[in-house]
mmCIF file of all heavy atoms in Angstrom:
data_model
loop_
_atom_site.group_PDB
_atom_site.id
_atom_site.type_symbol
_atom_site.label_atom_id
_atom_site.label_comp_id
_atom_site.label_asym_id
_atom_site.label_seq_id
_atom_site.Cartn_x
_atom_site.Cartn_y
_atom_site.Cartn_z
ATOM 1 N N GLY B 213 -7.138 -3.699 7.096
ATOM 2 C CA GLY B 213 -8.449 -3.370 7.562
ATOM 3 C C GLY B 213 -8.866 -4.305 8.632
ATOM 4 O O GLY B 213 -8.342 -5.415 8.758
ATOM 5 N N GLY B 214 -9.817 -3.862 9.472
ATOM 6 C CA GLY B 214 -10.359 -4.748 10.569
ATOM 7 C C GLY B 214 -9.259 -5.282 11.391
ATOM 8 O O GLY B 214 -8.444 -4.544 11.933
ATOM 9 N N LYS B 215 -9.163 -6.570 11.550
ATOM 10 C CA LYS B 215 -8.166 -7.171 12.460
ATOM 11 C C LYS B 215 -6.783 -7.134 11.890
ATOM 12 O O LYS B 215 -5.812 -7.405 12.544
ATOM 13 C CB LYS B 215 -8.567 -8.577 12.762
ATOM 14 C CG LYS B 215 -9.725 -8.716 13.788
ATOM 15 C CD LYS B 215 -10.051 -10.121 14.158
ATOM 16 C CE LYS B 215 -9.998 -10.399 15.588
ATOM 17 N NZ LYS B 215 -10.398 -11.768 16.011
ATOM 18 N N SER B 216 -6.695 -6.759 10.620
ATOM 19 C CA SER B 216 -5.308 -6.663 10.072
ATOM 20 C C SER B 216 -4.882 -5.195 9.923
ATOM 21 O O SER B 216 -3.855 -4.886 9.346
ATOM 22 C CB SER B 216 -5.237 -7.350 8.743
ATOM 23 O OG SER B 216 -5.919 -6.618 7.745
ATOM 24 N N ARG B 217 -5.628 -4.298 10.597
ATOM 25 C CA ARG B 217 -5.286 -2.906 10.568
ATOM 26 C C ARG B 217 -3.949 -2.728 11.337
ATOM 27 O O ARG B 217 -3.749 -3.420 12.388
ATOM 28 C CB ARG B 217 -6.387 -2.058 11.230
ATOM 29 C CG ARG B 217 -6.212 -0.555 11.012
ATOM 30 C CD ARG B 217 -6.460 -0.158 9.574
ATOM 31 N NE ARG B 217 -6.357 1.259 9.347
ATOM 32 C CZ ARG B 217 -6.073 1.849 8.180
ATOM 33 N NH1 ARG B 217 -5.976 1.086 7.134
ATOM 34 N NH2 ARG B 217 -6.010 3.149 8.071
ATOM 35 N N THR B 218 -3.100 -1.884 10.840
ATOM 36 C CA THR B 218 -1.793 -1.693 11.412
ATOM 37 C C THR B 218 -1.899 -1.149 12.869
ATOM 38 O O THR B 218 -2.635 -0.220 13.163
ATOM 39 C CB THR B 218 -0.989 -0.682 10.588
ATOM 40 O OG1 THR B 218 -0.752 -1.197 9.303
ATOM 41 C CG2 THR B 218 0.378 -0.416 11.244
ATOM 42 N N GLY B 219 -1.199 -1.887 13.817
ATOM 43 C CA GLY B 219 -1.120 -1.408 15.144
ATOM 44 C C GLY B 219 0.213 -0.742 15.397
ATOM 45 O O GLY B 219 1.256 -1.153 14.909
ATOM 46 N N VAL B 220 0.220 0.424 16.085
ATOM 47 C CA VAL B 220 1.413 1.186 16.384
ATOM 48 C C VAL B 220 1.561 1.232 17.878
ATOM 49 O O VAL B 220 0.745 1.700 18.617
ATOM 50 C CB VAL B 220 1.240 2.626 15.812
ATOM 51 C CG1 VAL B 220 2.494 3.419 16.138
ATOM 52 C CG2 VAL B 220 0.926 2.577 14.339
ATOM 53 N N MET B 221 2.730 0.641 18.340
ATOM 54 C CA MET B 221 2.940 0.667 19.762
ATOM 55 C C MET B 221 3.591 1.947 20.219
ATOM 56 O O MET B 221 4.604 2.416 19.617
ATOM 57 C CB MET B 221 3.923 -0.499 20.112
ATOM 58 C CG MET B 221 3.331 -1.879 19.765
ATOM 59 S SD MET B 221 4.451 -3.206 20.129
ATOM 60 C CE MET B 221 4.466 -3.191 21.920
ATOM 61 N N ILE B 222 3.003 2.572 21.219
ATOM 62 C CA ILE B 222 3.524 3.861 21.760
ATOM 63 C C ILE B 222 3.591 3.790 23.278
ATOM 64 O O ILE B 222 2.822 3.067 23.886
ATOM 65 C CB ILE B 222 2.673 5.013 21.291
ATOM 66 C CG1 ILE B 222 1.252 4.999 21.892
ATOM 67 C CG2 ILE B 222 2.556 5.133 19.761
ATOM 68 C CD1 ILE B 222 0.487 6.286 21.601
ATOM 69 N N PRO B 223 4.541 4.569 23.821
ATOM 70 C CA PRO B 223 4.673 4.542 25.263
ATOM 71 C C PRO B 223 3.548 5.271 25.952
ATOM 72 O O PRO B 223 2.956 6.171 25.385
ATOM 73 C CB PRO B 223 5.990 5.291 25.475
ATOM 74 C CG PRO B 223 6.164 6.167 24.324
ATOM 75 C CD PRO B 223 5.550 5.481 23.147
ATOM 76 N N ILE B 224 3.212 4.807 27.111
ATOM 77 C CA ILE B 224 2.330 5.596 27.993
ATOM 78 C C ILE B 224 3.168 5.916 29.261
ATOM 79 O O ILE B 224 3.594 5.003 29.940
ATOM 80 C CB ILE B 224 1.085 4.809 28.401
ATOM 81 C CG1 ILE B 224 0.259 4.441 27.136
ATOM 82 C CG2 ILE B 224 0.224 5.549 29.406
ATOM 83 C CD1 ILE B 224 -0.306 5.683 26.394
ATOM 84 N N PRO B 225 3.361 7.186 29.572
ATOM 85 C CA PRO B 225 2.844 8.363 28.814
ATOM 86 C C PRO B 225 3.721 8.647 27.571
ATOM 87 O O PRO B 225 4.827 8.277 27.432
ATOM 88 C CB PRO B 225 3.045 9.505 29.828
ATOM 89 C CG PRO B 225 4.096 9.005 30.809
ATOM 90 C CD PRO B 225 4.104 7.543 30.802
ATOM 91 N N GLN B 226 3.019 9.339 26.635
ATOM 92 C CA GLN B 226 3.635 9.652 25.322
ATOM 93 C C GLN B 226 3.511 11.141 25.002
ATOM 94 O O GLN B 226 2.746 11.853 25.617
ATOM 95 C CB GLN B 226 2.847 8.839 24.228
ATOM 96 C CG GLN B 226 1.364 9.022 24.278
ATOM 97 C CD GLN B 226 0.648 9.669 23.122
ATOM 98 O OE1 GLN B 226 1.241 9.811 22.062
ATOM 99 N NE2 GLN B 226 -0.539 10.029 23.350
ATOM 100 N N TYR B 227 4.240 11.498 23.970
ATOM 101 C CA TYR B 227 4.081 12.831 23.403
ATOM 102 C C TYR B 227 2.914 12.727 22.413
ATOM 103 O O TYR B 227 2.956 11.910 21.483
ATOM 104 C CB TYR B 227 5.361 13.281 22.714
ATOM 105 C CG TYR B 227 5.183 14.560 21.930
ATOM 106 C CD1 TYR B 227 4.709 15.684 22.540
ATOM 107 C CD2 TYR B 227 5.500 14.608 20.569
ATOM 108 C CE1 TYR B 227 4.525 16.870 21.806
ATOM 109 C CE2 TYR B 227 5.372 15.792 19.822
ATOM 110 C CZ TYR B 227 4.859 16.899 20.478
ATOM 111 O OH TYR B 227 4.689 18.069 19.778
ATOM 112 N N PRO B 228 1.818 13.490 22.620
ATOM 113 C CA PRO B 228 0.597 13.208 21.873
ATOM 114 C C PRO B 228 0.601 13.473 20.407
ATOM 115 O O PRO B 228 -0.492 13.350 19.742
ATOM 116 C CB PRO B 228 -0.458 14.069 22.628
ATOM 117 C CG PRO B 228 0.291 15.071 23.429
ATOM 118 C CD PRO B 228 1.628 14.523 23.627
ATOM 119 N N LEU B 229 1.689 13.777 19.785
ATOM 120 C CA LEU B 229 1.744 13.741 18.335
ATOM 121 C C LEU B 229 1.403 12.343 17.868
ATOM 122 O O LEU B 229 0.694 12.162 16.891
ATOM 123 C CB LEU B 229 3.140 14.093 17.856
ATOM 124 C CG LEU B 229 3.456 13.780 16.398
ATOM 125 C CD1 LEU B 229 2.731 14.689 15.462
ATOM 126 C CD2 LEU B 229 4.986 13.845 16.105
#
Side-chain angles (χ1 to χ4, degrees):
Chain B
K215 284 182 124 177
S216 70
R217 191 69 179 159
T218 297
V220 181
M221 298 179 70
I222 66 173
I224 297 297
Q226 49 118 14
Y227 172 55
L229 166 72

